[in-house]
Each structure stands twice: as structure tokens, then as C-alpha cells.
Amino acid sequence: MLSVDNLNIWLMLIIIGHTSAISYNKPKFCPNASWYPNATTFANLSVIGPDPRDIFINTNNTIYVTSVAANRILVWSEGNTIPIKNISGNISNPIGLFVTIAGEIYVDSDNQTGRIDKWTLNSIIGIPIMYTCTKCYGIFIDMNNNLYCSMYNVHQIVTKSLDVVSNALTIVAGTGTAGSTSSMLYGPCGIYVNTNFDLYVADSYNNRIQLFQSGQLNAITVAGTGSLNTTITLDTPIGIVLDADNYLFIVDQDNHRIVGSGSDGFRCLVGCSGSGGSAANQLNYPRRLSFDSYGNMFVTDCSNDRIQKFALLTNLCSETITSTLMNIKTTITTQSSNIIQIPSTKNHGTFFICLDVSYNRPKFNAFPSWNPNGIIFANNSTIGALTMGIFVNTDNTVYVANRANNEILIWFNNSIGPTQTIQGTFSIPRSIFVTTNGDIYIDNGQSNGQVDKWTLNALVSDPAMYVSASCYGLFVDINDTLYCSMYDLHQIIAQSLHSMSNKTIVVAGTGCSGTTSNMLSGPCGIYVNTNFDLYVADYHNNRIQLFQSEQLNGITVAGAGSLNTTITLNGPTGIVLDADNYLFIVEYLNNRIVGSGPNGFRCLVGCFEPYGSASNQLLSPYALSFDSYGNMFVTDYGNNRIQKFTFLNNTLDPSYNQPKFCQNASWNPDAITFASNNTVGSSPWGIFVNTNNTIYVADRANNEVHIWFNNSIGPTQTIQSDSSQPNSVFVTHNGDIYIDNGAFNHRVDKWILNENTSVPVMYVNVSCFDLFVDTTDTLYCSIASLHQVVKRWLNDNSSILTITAGNGTAGNTSYMLNLPCGIYVNTNFDLYVADYYNNRIQLFQSGEINGITVVGAESLTTTITLNGPTGIVLDADNYLFIVDFNYNRIVGSGSNGFRCLVGCSGSGGSASNQLLNPATLRFDSYGNMFVTDYGNSRIQKFILSTNSCGEYINETISTVDPTTTQTQKEHITSTEYITTSNVLTTNQTCFIPRITLIPGVSTLSSPIQFRRSQDFYIISLIELNCTNSLSMITQWTITNCTSICLQQIQLDSTIMTTLSELYIPRNTLAYGIYELKLTVTMTKVPSFTSSSSVYIQITSSGITANLIEYGTSMITRGKQQNLEFDPGSYSIDYDNNVFNASNWIYKYYCRIYGLYMFPNLQGSLLSIDDMRNDPLNPSCLLNRTGWQFSNSIESSLTILSDSLQSNETYQFMVYMTNRRNSSLQATGYVLVKVEDTYPQMILISCIISTLCVPNLEFQFVNPTTQVALFSVCSENCTTIQNITWNVYHGEINSSSNFTKWILFNQTNFYQNIWFFGTNTSNFTATNQLFLLNPQLHLWRFEVTYTFISETSVSSLNFIINQPPCNGSCSITPLNGITTSLFDISCPDWFDEDGIRDYAVYAWTNDLTEQIIVAYSAVPTFQVRLPSGDNQTSLLHLIVYIRDTLNCIAEFNLSSVNVIPDLVGITNLINNIQNLSSGITTNPIVQLLASENQNVVAQLIISLSQELNKMNNDNIDKAISNGIPVTSISISSFGYQISPGLSTPINKSALIEYNTELNKQANARDYLITFITNLAITTLDSIKLQASSLAQFTKATNQLTRTTLTLAADRCYQLTIALYLKRTRIPYEDVQTAATQLIQCAANLLSAVNGPLQQRTTILNLDSLRATTFPSDYDTDLESEWSNLNLFADGNDFSWETIEKGRNIYYQSQLANQIAIQMNDLVSLLTSTLNIHLNIEQSILINTSQVLMSLKTKTVEIFSNKYIQQIENAQIQFPENLNLNYTKNSKISIRVKFSILCFK
């Protein structure tokens, strides 16, 4: 039985839909409050600059000031006199300012156009939020998230909801004309909105303060001229704030003072000298006022260029307030502002562009190559002189513009000569382009000023575009827009080929030659990709400019001024892109073609000096075009010819084997002799095994190469060459054999397999100890005696060698080598060298001349000792395998470091398990190892014996191998990934981290697509293996991509880039393709860095077309009333804050609903303004001209009165087409019922609009969530008599295309069960309506407003969104421990909207106690599960599969048996307790350090559950030994206490209890940091972290002050994140997260108060930290630690007393801090929940530490009534309770029972 004495009961009245937390201070002043008349100057001219205007101080006492002249916002944190932040950039003369509780800064930003921007404290650019066309002299955000702007110059106050994606502004005060009537304003400045939504305005030129009560346009003068009661005389009042009792404080500008009201009326407060001035007691034209939380007054003293602080002097009240209920003065009439909408992906009306192109975009590998010797495709006799333009289409038809003869030459079907010649009227054509339908566009600008279009068989051309100069480049994009590059005018112009106008638009260049980002100088070739990004060859600027779609500022992506080093260009004239968007550039003045790829830029053809007319030379080339085979056609302008360069290769897969080994891979130590001295001669060195397992051995003794095909026993073929003592051999994928012939013949030879001759391919001075050919056909030679590695590309004619490593002198520095032998080049073109005499492996990263020692002597981390390494190969995971010549062995690396693999006996020899000076090594495809055993003159084959990557179950065993432990294998989607529990005992202590990104399967040409309005995240799995430290630095970079990814973008401050997970909030990235790269660096070993990238594309979300506000489905209108449709104002652009009406074309249609279809002729719809008739479907309008457009763009339509027939229902439709892209379209509908009366316009929408997604005539609704609706009367609503809601279900009549609606007759029966608010403006239907009527798919919610003389009816129609289907889920294995990995696979789920994610919930016995344990964006993933039931170990699991519209399908997984990993937990606790260096090798710690929130949260939940059980066992044991329960624990609800023995306290038992207590407390103190480092991203992220914290903080006696602080901060951060999402997430999810967060708050309050009430003991860590000398003890003389008076007990200053006092002092301080924080947390959660609750709706949160009830009521039921909240608990309200509300006002009651600690 729970005693009330042990409970703290909280009772609050909360207004539905509003937060009780505000961002500004409202101090409570007593009637005698006064301020020091002499102010201190907080900031002067040198700090803030001239003309400070507005000031805002938040509840944390952070101060924000706008400086008009300095164009900036300055920010001070509490206690600082120097600003911590200076916000500037794109801010012009800022005046108004407001800051929200979330720290978002709203500021008047634009002096010319009028705009409010939103900034966050750390952002570098503001986001436009409201466009006002004039400056905002005052800004305010009310508790319903409405933004207000005071428009001084327009004499109005306007507002818009920040929760609605709309640009519509609502006028809430002022007529727009200066005046002094109650409805008018004259120069309004400061504004203030109270919690009743009453608006106060400082009406400056009318010398008054106006109060506009909520919803009223006529004001009451409450101060100044014309007030009903004598108040005070004002002269240009300019600022207004209210205190906690709603008394006014006014900035009286021209009287140079601040005045205030109180219970005794108005009085002057400061600046009361009677004149303006600069003295400390004077002000000079003050502008704004703000209070800090202490009541101090800060004033912007504008003309003195300073901020003055007037300190609160007296504030002593003679009366004590005993009740706070009467101070609550807020009301609400609607929840209508809680509206945010997201787009539908079902039949949305948005169409996608066909991406067929007429030109070729071949797909090349990383290093494609072309024959350097071009073929003359056409010469001067065919094409004439100085040819520039060429085009090759996808059929490989070649078109050339013949400038000399004014012709178009055409080659069809690989013909040798031109097949067709077109002779036209064009003159000196410089460029040509051909579209997919064969239309030819040719430059005719020089003489005729136009671009001509020729159809293939036409005799004449048509002008397609009129231009002012020649087009040096032409292009037609996929939207049929024609572009012309005007070299002489330094511009690119464009015109739609579908336009009936000749008007062109400038898309790049200003018309003046220049080098800035918006200028060009002699633009030539152009290219437009499928994203409509424009590339320009900017000739005189020697650069390639990228103008992203609709941008006039270019980005330099190649050449002079590029952000990243690319390539030096000289006169670029041509530009094309390949399939992966890599650039290929024609360099006119460098006489070459260059191209980019994943490894940067390089020369492709024309790469030899000097220029000329040889086949491998070019002279002033101009343009380039590819055919479908990748062959390159170049107009060689200076040589008067077309050159064709043949594409050579595109399949450069490695020719050697790279097996994938598991960490337990081993080889049979006894080798088979594959070939002996009789076959391979004495001292063989070089061997090669290709991917077909053909074996090649260089026979040094006999100057031969032996070849074994098809597992033959003896050589199948022997090549007898003129080579001398060949040391090495390499074979490429096409079978070419490269053989060392350097010893005496000084070359490397290439043999073609079936030919008897060789050709020299490289000339060297001495022998190559190893050869390697990389995937670009580059040949490498390791010249041991010259201490160098050299290379040359095999596809050119140059014999010049490039030194890749070594300087030619023996040495051991990073750039030197000493007898290099084996070499290996990976696919990143990094070179590994076996540096023999230096006893090391050197890594030369691509392009670097300084090597990194990765193995052996002087490596950065201890690895393994080598003695004369001669061979090096890498496996599939890039682990190293090394031939250790002098140690007679083969060693290899893996996830556990290095180990000996074969030849491990310790000495050289000839036995089968021995080697003698092995030289080289190769693998076959099975992983078998072939070694040239140089000293034994044989080839040894070591068979791979074990390579099993199976999963291991962690078991308790009696004997453990000290060098190894068991491991676990993780499968991450399609990537196999190894996570190691413990490190194998070797010399290596640290390894490069390994990264896997999810989702991660993407390329630049095939990125993962996300809509701009969609939140998304990228998860990383980071494998750490470093015994020194697991500390790492994670950094994300986001790079904008075109053909390559070059420009790192500036990010919105809401994107956190330093966590392991990247979360991209909606609408933060612009359209385009991006590379998201994560780089992980080991803190202690900075050279150990890994990176991984994913490519994403941000696409358009489309729009929703709304004819009327909110997209209401059906309205009622009178026959004699005008009917107005305004899609230009009411449509929604989900990707932008405002909808730009001018971007769209509008067509309006109408039909008589239920009787006729839309009028049409021959299938083409007839719009309302089309006077033609359809004989079968009559027009809606009785008067065919009874309509008018309200503006020139026709974005608003009015149907005039008497144009519609009464007692009919009409369906109106708007069809909208984007002006720039006609393939983007949207359709909106509304039904209008016409009556003879004068009904008012009633609008309906969803409170949580993301759950009601428009779909043509309907809204989608998810059957698993409740529907909460609001209605608004938008006209004259003063005479409302009654409101009634009705529910209908529908049937579609397909023959006449209308829906029949049937009344759902059980509404009354389910009143306050399924349905809430049936007689109010807000209505809620719970998900039970849909779940229990699954056969019904169409629903209508109709509201009827009854007025005195008329009735208005409106409705919103819904269609059930179908959940994901056709899939299943499975889990393996079915048994495990809490550290085991369980594979969950959910294949084949389908939803036409797309699957968003998968979430796993677990429970043991009670389904209602299920908690989230994992979520994933991919269908196959792994989890670690908490333990099952205490008796059965059974754990139940369910998977929620969610589509992109939040509709959920449930799938019950097989139950699994999970037992705790007691050994692992015990080891972890011991490692933490002992602070052992081995903590970094603890497998649990390694996983926690990954910062993956799924991994971390799963482990924390499991660890917490087991620690909680241990804690309970420890408590029970202590109680049984006579220790009082009240001295060691705080019991939870329902906890059964074991009866203690009536015996004296057993001191040894108490010591044992405290020992275990502190061990576990230390573990929690260590573990908490892993939770608090996680990213807070999605709703699932919030729920998962909240669940882990609720479990983690459950043992309230084990939480140190550090743990409490960190946990409280994280719970509060999660609550704020949930609060910010409150208008976009389902009620059911809010309830789940809130339950866990309330539990966390209750746990923390109990834990922090426990020691103060002597219910729990002070923990050892807290005592240690409290009594440890601080580092600044000798210098900080004012530190609390040094003030012993704080800790003494009266005159008792003994060390024991001081030590105890310190703990009590610090605990008390923390208790106060957490109490405030948790109170705010509960308030925020209450506000978040209240949005979802209607009248009579309630929520009960019942956990082990807290019971909380939240219920919504109307005011009228309170007086003299009992309210039953929880079971038998009742609340009685006094009979005379007066809340100043109307009887139907909504009030929320919160009752909270929580366990606190009392003595």
C-alpha cells in the first residue's frame, strides 16, 4: 500500500495546444518594486556599434541585441560582458528580434524587400521565413507558434503560422492606412502577445498602447491618448512588455523614459529626470526593453549608442500568495495553427521528365584509355577549313558543321564518306546539335542573327532562336530548352522550344567580360546535364564554370580558381560529360583533350609536345563528341580535320587473386612441393597465379617461363625467350605476360601467349625484382640495386619512366629505399614496397613520394619484426601477407593484428613445414598459398585448411587460451563485417578503423534519392581495434557533385557533422547530388584514418494544389455569394517556406457533381473560361461569363454570385503546370454545395497535417493513428449557435465518378470513447474507428455550424492508406545471450509510397510494456537483445514496418530465448573498477565506442537490466542482514520489500553492500558518456535513447552526480527534440516517448534527493570528486571549494564535517538544478501531449516511479465538482473558482504522483 506521505502530488491546469514554457522573462514584481536610477552601461558603442534597436533576453539570461548600423546581432551569455557571438551576413538594418525556447533567432533582415529570417546560434546564414515587403519594427512569436510582424511604414500587424507551409499572411491589427480610430494604427512599433493571444501594440505616432483582444480587429486603448481611464501621457511609445501579473512596461521614446503600471496605476521607473541625456540616470531616445530572470531591466539607449542595465533595487511584497491557480489567465479557441503538411507520393500529380538524350554518355572505368594515334575521319577536302562543330548521336550518326562551305555533313551507319549534305542559308556555322527526333540545330548567328532548325528531309530551315552573335556552342536539354553560347557577348542565353514567344533568358554571364563567379570571358562549348546544371568552357578565363540550375553564380570545377586543385587549362573550348558525370575537356591552346575520373584529371590524347599534325598530335582542337562505343571524335581546327581516337579498354579487373579470409583462416603447415629444382631450376624467384588459377614461374637458371594450365601436374607450356635470369613475371587479364629481362638486356618484355616473339615495353638499367601492372595498364618495376620503383603507362609511345618511390640512393628515410623487392599496387593506386634492407613495408599513397611504414622497423604502431622482406600481397580486405626472407616464413595481418602463417618453426630448412629464404608469394582463387622457396629451389603449395566465418556463442569455459578469445561476426546488409571481441596477442596495438555506412550501396551515377522535404539519416558502423585508446574523431563532409564531387558546401547549423551518424533535417539541402563522406581518425594515432562515402540526390517533393485554405474537401456557399478560389495563396510547396504563385500556370474546371463528368471535347477538358460547349456534360455556370480572375497570372478565380444553381453540388478542379518545367503538374479539388441562404465559410484541416496527406479528392489517413481535426469559421462568426460533427463512410459510384456517403450511426454510442469534441470546433476520432472497421476505406468527417439565420456545412474526405504488405520477417538464431547478434530479415515488403524503416520492439510478459530495441532503414539488420523472462528466458518481439507516410504494418517474430551474458558484464565491471588499460580491449566497450546508437542503446538497455537486477539482489541481501531499507534505497511502485531481520546492523554486510554498490555505480558513471554522445535524429532515435535512459537511471541509489547531470541533460535534450517534432508525429508515438522520458525524470529526481533525505548513501566517486583539490585551487581564490563556511556545521570546521558538508552542498545544488530542469521537461512533455488531446480525452502514464494523468475538460464542469483522475484519486475545485473563461474553453488537468525521498 502506497502511503500518501511518500508521494509528491502535482496538479496543474494547462491550456490545450500550448506550451507552458516561454522563452522570455516575465518577472513577478511587487507593487513597491523599484530600480536603481543610475544604470550601468552593459555595452557601449565600441561593442555594439551605432544605433542599437531591439533587445531580447531569454530565460537563461542570454542577451541578444540588433545593431542597425552594424547590420548584425550580438549575443552575450549570462555573466559575460563580451559577446560570445556576432551574427552577420545577409542582414540589412535589422530592427525587430525574437528568440524561441529552442534558441532560434527571428530577425528583421532585409532593408529593401522586407523579410524575417530565422537563425540558429551556430548557423552561418539565415533562412527566410516571412516576406513582408517592409521592415518589421517588432517581432513576436506566441505560444501557438504564430509569428507576428509590426509593419511601421504600413501601419499594420501581420502574422503567419510557423507550423503551416504557406506564404499567406493574416492581418491582425491595422487597416494599412495611418489613423487614430480603434481599428487603425499610426507607426506601430513594439508588440507583445500574451498567453490569451491578446495583442498589445505600441502605436507610436498615436501616443498610445492598443490592446487587440484575441480575434478582434478593433482595439482598446489601455495606455496613453484616448484611454478609457486616465493612465499616463505618452510621447511616441515604441516598446511594450508585460510582467507575470500582466502589468505593462512601456518604452516612452520621446519622453526618454521607461514607465510601468501596477496595482496603483502608472509611474515612471527609470529615466525620470525630465530630459534626455547621456548621464547614468538618463536615456536618449530609448527603443526597447527586456527583463532578465532576476527582474533587472535592459534598455537599448539608441541615441547614446549603448545598452543600459537598471538593476532591480527593491521587490519586497507585504502579502504572501497562497495559490497559483488564479494567476493562470490563458485561453484558447482553436488548435488551428498546428498545421504542417507533407506531400503525397500516391497519385500526387507530379510527373517526371523522360531522361532520353540524343548524345552519347559512355560509362568508363577509373582509367579509360584511347589509342594515342588518331585516325583521320575526315580531312580538309571533305569538311573544309577551320571546322569547329561536331555532334555524334546515339545511333552513331556523325554531323559536322562545315564553316567554309556553309553545309551540314552527315555520316550514317559507319559510312566512310558523308551520306548526306544539307546546304542552307546559314553562314559560317560554328556549332551544331541534334535532338532525339532528328531535328538539327545549327548556328547561323554571325550574319543572320539566329539559330536554325532543320528537320532531316526538309528543304528549308526554320528559325528556332534569335541571337545577337554567333553561337560558339549549342545544346538542347531534356526539357527541350535551347542554349546558345555567345563568345563575343560573354553570355549564355536559352529559350524553350515550346514557347510561342521569341523571348530569350540569360542563364549565365553578365554581358561583360570578367572573372567573377557571375561573369564569363569568351564562352565556347556548353553542356547541360539532366539536373539542368550548365557547364561552360570559359575560354579566356581558362576554366570550366558550373552554373547549377537557376543559379547565375558559377562554380569553378576545373582550371583557374577552382576550389580544389584540378588541372591547369589553357583556352578550353569544349566540354562533355560521361555516364558518371566526369568531365572531358578540349583544350584549344594546349592542343589536347583532358578528362577527369575518380582519381582526378589527366591528359587523354594529344599529350605529346610539340603540337602538330602527326597522328598523336592536335593543333588547336575545338570540340569533342563520343560515339556509343566510347570512341572520341575531335574537330582538329588547326589541322582542318576530324580525328577519331579509338577507345582501348574498359574492363580492367585485376588479373590476380585476392581471396577473402576470415580471421581464423589457417593453412596446413606441411606444404606440398608443387615444383622442384628439376622443373623450375635453381633459386626460383618470381611466380604469378591468375584468376583462372593458371600458374606462371620465372626460371632464372634456364631463362624460361613455365606455365601450368587447368591444375596440371607438370608445366603445360614453356616459353623460351631471349631473357636473361628473369627475376619476375606478371600476367594481365588479357593473357599478356610481362617478363623481367633487365639483368643483361636492360628491358622488360611483353609476350603474347600464343606467339613466339616478344616486344620490349620498358627499358631499365638492371633487373626488376618484381613487376606489377595496375588497373590502368601502368607497369611498375622494382629496381632493387638502384633502390627505386619506376613505372610507365603501357598505352603511349613514350619510353620515359616515372620514379614512383625511392630517390636512387640507399637510405631509411620516408622517401628512400634500400634494396626494394616485392611490390603491390591496390585499386586506389597506393604502392606497397617490401623494403628489404630496411626490414619494413613501405606504403606510398597515390601521388606521394614519402612513404609510411605500415609494418616492420619504425612503423607508427608496433606491428611485427621483419628480417629482409621480399614479397608483399594483399587480400580482399586489404590485409597484408609478407614473405619474410631471412626469417624463413610467411606472416599475415588481420583484424587481430599480425601472426605467422607458415614456416613458423623458428628456423629455415627443407622439411615440408619449413622454408629457406622464401622470395615471393601468390594465392590461387581458393586461398591456397604458392611460395617460391628460393633457398630450397622449389615451389611450395600450402593448402588453406580453415576459413570458417561462423558465429560463436559466448560460453563459460574452464580453460581459456590466453592469446585468443571468441569472436562474433556481424552482417551489415550486403557487406560482410567482422567485429572482434578481444585482440589476438601480437605486437600490433592499433589498427585503422573500418567503416560501413547504412544505407551505403550507391554511386555518383546511381545515388540514393531523398525528397527535399524528407528528414533522412546515414548510420555508420565503425569497428575500432586499438589497445592504446578507443577515442576517435568523426567528421562528415558534404560535397556538391556534378560530374565530380569538388565543392564542399556550407551547411545549415542544424546539421551536426561531428557525430558518427549524419542526420539531415528536411529542407536543409538544395536540389542536387551530394557526396556524404565520413572520416574517422584515431585520436592517439592521427595517421590512422578511414573514410567512407555515400552518394545521395535531393529531389523535388512536388506541391499540393489547394483551391481553398487548408485543402478542405467540401464547403457550403450561397447562390447569391461570390465564390473565391485562390490556389496561388493556399497551395503548398513542401520544399520551400513559401509557395511562389508566379511559377505556375492555372486552369480551372468544373462539373455538376454526381450527374455529369467534366465538360470536354474529344477528350480535352474545357476550362471554365472556355466558351465552347460539350453536348453531354453542361457547363456549371448559368452565366457563362460569371467569373473573373483576380490577377494577371490567374492564380485566383472568383465565381460571381448567381452563376451557380442552388441545391446543386459542384466539383471544381484546378490544374497547375510549372512555367519553367511543364512536366511538373499538380491538381486540386473541392466540392461546393450551393444553397439559397448566406452560409459562412468553414474550413477544416488536420492538427497533425503530416498524417493527412492530400491525394486528389481525398486525404490519406493511417488506420493505426487517430485523426484530430480542427475547423475555422473564416468569415462573420459572431452568431454561432451550435457546432456538430458527423461521420460518414463512402462508396464510389464508378459509372458517374462520384462518392456516395452513408452516415455512421454509432457516433453517439462511441461518444468520448472513439469520438471526442463532437460539439466543438475540434474533433478527434481514435484509431479504433479504422481498426475495427477494416472493410471501410472511405471516410468523411463533416462539421455543421449553425448560426441564427443559416447553416454552414464543410467536410474533409479521407481514404485509408494501406500499410506495407506481401512481406515477412524472421530472426536467427532463436537462442543466445545479451551480447549475441541476432539477424533479422524482413524481405519482400511492398508499399507504393516506399518503405521508410523497420523498428523492433521487445517485451517479456506484458505487451503494454514493450520497448523499442532497434530500428533500421534497410530490411536486413542485426540486433543485440535484452534478456528474456527471469524464469523462462523467453523474449517476445514484433517488427513495425513503416511506409513514408507513417502507415505501419505489424509482424510478430518468433519468440527467442535470451540469457544475460554474466561473464561479459562481470568482466566489464571489473575492468571499469580497476581502471585497467585493458578496458579498450573489452569487447563491450569497443562496441559502445562505435557511437552507433542502435548498438549503444541495445547494449545499454541490456546492461542496465542486469545491473538493476544485481542492485535489487544486493539490496535484498543487505535487508536480510538487518540493514534498514529506508537507509539504502527508494522503492518503486509495487516493489515488494523483503522483510528484514530484527537484529543489529551487520557491519560486514554493510561494507559488502557498499562495495557492490560503488562498483556498479562506477560502471554506470563510465557508461553514461556513451549514451550522451549519440546523435538525436528521428522519432525512433528519441524513443530508443529514452528507453535506454529510463532503464539506465532505474537504480536510483547508483547514480553519481556526474551520471545525474549527464542523464538529466540528455533526457531534457530528447524532450526538446520531441517537442520540436510535436506537430508532425502521431499521438501514439508521442505517448511512447513521453512515457520513457517521464520515467527518466522521476528516476533522476528520486536519485538526486535520496542522499539529502538519507534514503541512499553518498557514493564513493562523489566523495572523491568533492574532496579532491581543484586544479585552480591556488589561483581561484573565490572558488566555492575554498570557502569552508559553505561546508562547516556552525563552528565545526573539522575535516570530517567539511568533507560531509561538501557532499551535501554539491548534492543540494544539483538537486535544485535538476528540479528546475525536470519541471521544464514535464511542462514540455505536457505541451507536446496536449496537442493531441481533445475535450474528455485523457492519457495515463504508469511506470515504476511515476503515475501521471493528463485530461482535457471544459471550464463549466469544474465549479463545485469532483474530478476523478487516477483510480480512486479525486480532485475537488472550489465553488467560487473563477478562471475568466467561456464555458466551453478547454483546460487540461495534469495530476502527477511521483516517489520522492523523505526521512
Side-chain angles (χ1 to χ4, degrees), residues 1437-1458:
L1437 300 167
I1438 189 170
V1439 181
Y1440 292 98
I1441 303 96
R1442 181 172 57 157
D1443 71 9
T1444 56
L1445 300 185
N1446 288 302
C1447 194
I1448 291 172
E1450 300 178 7
F1451 192 93
N1452 287 297
L1453 286 170
S1454 300
S1455 297
V1456 294
N1457 289 286
V1458 186

Side-chain angles (χ1 to χ4, degrees), residues 107 268 313 827 1092 1299 1348 1594 1688:
V107 63
C268 181
L313 177 60
T827 53
S1092 185
T1299 304
I1348 294 176
K1594 204 169 183 179

Side-chain angles (χ1 to χ4, degrees), residues 485-531:
S485 172
M486 297 192 294
Y487 172 92
D488 299 309
L489 300 182
H490 316 293
Q491 278 184 330
I492 314 297
I493 60 173
Q495 176 183 320
S496 172
L497 295 175
H498 300 303
S499 172
M500 303 305 293
S501 168
N502 293 326
K503 183 179 179 181
T504 59
I505 60 173
V506 177
V507 293
T510 62
C512 299
S513 175
T515 61
T516 62
S517 63
N518 66 333
M519 301 178 82
L520 299 168
S521 183
C524 294
I526 52 178
Y527 183 99
V528 183
N529 69 13
T530 52
N531 291 328

Side-chain angles (χ1 to χ4, degrees), residues 87 280 309 311 486 712 817 953 1459:
I87 300 174
K309 175 183 177 181
M486 297 192 294
S712 59
L817 298 168
I953 302 298
I1459 60 175

Side-chain angles (χ1 to χ4, degrees), residues 720-731:
Q720 294 178 327
S721 65
D722 60 351
S723 60
S724 177
Q725 297 183 7
N727 275 314
S728 51
V729 62
F730 193 98
V731 183

Side-chain angles (χ1 to χ4, degrees), residues 237 487 651 679 790 798 817 867 934 1138 1168-1169 1199 1401 1672 1709:
Y487 172 92
T651 54
T679 305
V790 298
S798 172
L817 298 168
N867 191 352
Y934 177 87
V1138 294
I1168 287 176
D1169 57 339
I1199 305 298
Y1401 286 73
D1672 59 353
Q1709 280 196 319

Side-chain angles (χ1 to χ4, degrees), residues 1228-1436:
Y1229 295 87
V1230 68
L1231 292 173
V1232 181
K1233 185 178 180 182
V1234 180
E1235 297 182 347
D1236 285 325
T1237 60
Y1238 289 83
Q1240 306 302 318
M1241 177 73 78
I1242 308 298
L1243 305 172
I1244 309 177
S1245 190
C1246 293
I1247 291 172
I1248 309 299
S1249 60
T1250 54
L1251 305 181
C1252 303
V1253 180
N1255 180 50
L1256 299 180
E1257 301 176 49
F1258 298 92
Q1259 310 270 328
F1260 278 123
V1261 64
N1262 296 326
T1264 54
T1265 59
Q1266 73 172 19
V1267 172
L1269 306 175
F1270 70 88
S1271 62
V1272 178
C1273 178
S1274 66
E1275 296 176 313
N1276 183 8
C1277 308
T1278 58
T1279 61
I1280 298 174
Q1281 302 293 299
N1282 186 46
I1283 300 174
T1284 304
W1285 288 84
N1286 287 307
V1287 180
Y1288 298 81
H1289 58 88
E1291 299 175 354
I1292 292 180
N1293 185 324
S1294 57
S1295 61
S1296 55
N1297 192 22
F1298 82 102
T1299 304
K1300 177 183 177 182
W1301 296 103
I1302 303 163
L1303 182 66
F1304 185 77
N1305 56 15
Q1306 296 177 295
T1307 306
N1308 291 333
F1309 181 80
Y1310 288 107
Q1311 175 75 15
N1312 296 334
I1313 301 174
W1314 289 359
F1315 306 113
F1316 299 89
T1318 51
N1319 296 113
T1320 69
S1321 60
N1322 288 11
F1323 176 77
T1324 300
T1326 70
N1327 58 8
Q1328 296 301 303
L1329 174 66
F1330 312 121
L1331 295 176
L1332 297 179
N1333 294 282
Q1335 75 283 4
L1336 302 177
H1337 299 289
L1338 300 178
W1339 293 91
R1340 166 178 280 186
F1341 298 96
E1342 177 188 270
V1343 65
T1344 302
Y1345 275 59
T1346 304
F1347 300 87
I1348 294 176
S1349 58
E1350 71 272 346
T1351 298
S1352 295
V1353 180
S1354 293
S1355 66
L1356 202 58
N1357 300 339
F1358 289 90
I1359 184 170
I1360 296 294
N1361 181 24
Q1362 296 304 309
C1365 59
N1366 296 336
S1368 63
C1369 294
S1370 61
I1371 183 170
T1372 56
L1374 298 179
N1375 300 281
I1377 58 176
T1378 50
T1379 52
S1380 296
L1381 276 169
F1382 292 83
D1383 291 294
I1384 295 179
S1385 178
C1386 294
D1388 304 325
W1389 286 95
F1390 170 79
D1391 190 282
E1392 60 187 48
D1393 304 310
I1395 305 296
R1396 174 174 290 182
D1397 56 29
Y1398 308 79
V1400 182
Y1401 286 73
W1403 73 97
T1404 53
N1405 299 311
D1406 188 351
L1407 176 61
T1408 63
E1409 295 180 356
Q1410 61 176 278
I1411 60 170
I1412 186 172
V1413 293
Y1415 65 91
S1416 172
V1418 294
T1420 301
F1421 53 99
Q1422 289 189 313
V1423 298
R1424 292 173 178 84
L1425 297 172
S1427 59
D1429 179 75
N1430 289 338
Q1431 282 73 42
T1432 65
S1433 301
L1434 204 61
L1435 186 72
H1436 307 292

